[in-house]
Amino acid sequence: MTTKIINLPRILDKRGNLSFFEYPNLLPFEIKRTYWIYDVPGGEVRGSHAFKDQQEFIVALSGSFDVVIHDGKDEKRFSLNRSYDGLYIPKMIWRKLENFSTNSLALIVSDKSYYEGDYIRDFEEFKKLANE
Ligand code: TYD
């Protein structure tokens, strides 16, 4: 499966709206870990790495930011600004998060526990591995 936006259900209600995702009908992997990025100072960039084996799903729960992905050949930018859209990113995709709006909140779920050995932090090394 390639990097793609997954539209999430919206349960519209006068009392306030509700969205969700779950495996297997919306999310293509079982969640092992959840983390979130917040209080990002203006102009900062997060990410700038790829994972050898890990898949992720990113939702802008609040505010907006861009996810710039690179598959080793082409770059693509996804602007996330709705709490009912998420970006699925398979393994071996370089990604960085930038253009965070004030008070934005990035929710990220992953199918793996945190393991530094799964990170590729050098873009040239990533391109080499991705194009093998
Ligand atoms: P990192 O993934 O490099 O941040 P970014 O969101 O910019 O890609 O993680 C930053 C630090 O946080 C790193 O030193 C390890 C720690 N960390 C954990 O301990 N557990 C986690 O689940 C994550 C995502 C990071």
Side-chain angles (χ1 to χ4, degrees), residues 30-37 46-47 49-56 95 108-121:
E30 253 183 297
I31 298 168
K32 188 92 177 256
R33 181 165 53 106
T34 304
Y35 62 98
W36 49 100
I37 296 173
R46 299 292 317 220
H49 52 68
F51 295 110
K52 289 177 204 152
D53 205 27
Q54 181 182 158
Q55 313 169 63
E56 290 194 321
R95 93 253 199 311
I108 304 170
V109 296
S110 157
D111 67 338
K112 298 278 187 301
S113 298
Y114 174 73
Y115 171 53
E116 179 59 34
D118 194 42
Y119 282 71
I120 306 168
R121 294 192 181 273

Side-chain angles (χ1 to χ4, degrees), residues 6 8 20-23 26-37 49 51 53-61 65 80 85-91 95 97 105-114:
I6 297 176
L8 302 173
F20 62 92
F21 53 84
E22 64 184 353
Y23 169 84
L26 291 162
L27 205 59
F29 60 82
E30 253 183 297
I31 298 168
K32 188 92 177 256
R33 181 165 53 106
T34 304
Y35 62 98
W36 49 100
I37 296 173
H49 52 68
F51 295 110
D53 205 27
Q54 181 182 158
Q55 313 169 63
E56 290 194 321
F57 183 64
I58 305 178
V59 183
L61 282 188
F65 52 86
L80 298 186
D85 281 341
L87 182 67
Y88 167 73
I89 305 182
K91 65 180 182 178
R95 93 253 199 311
L97 279 62
L105 173 58
L107 176 76
I108 304 170
V109 296
S110 157
D111 67 338
K112 298 278 187 301
S113 298
Y114 174 73

Side-chain angles (χ1 to χ4, degrees), residues 9-21:
R10 282 194 287 163
I11 314 295
L12 304 180
D13 193 308
K14 289 196 294 287
R15 299 170 300 156
N17 302 333
L18 182 153
S19 288
F20 62 92
F21 53 84

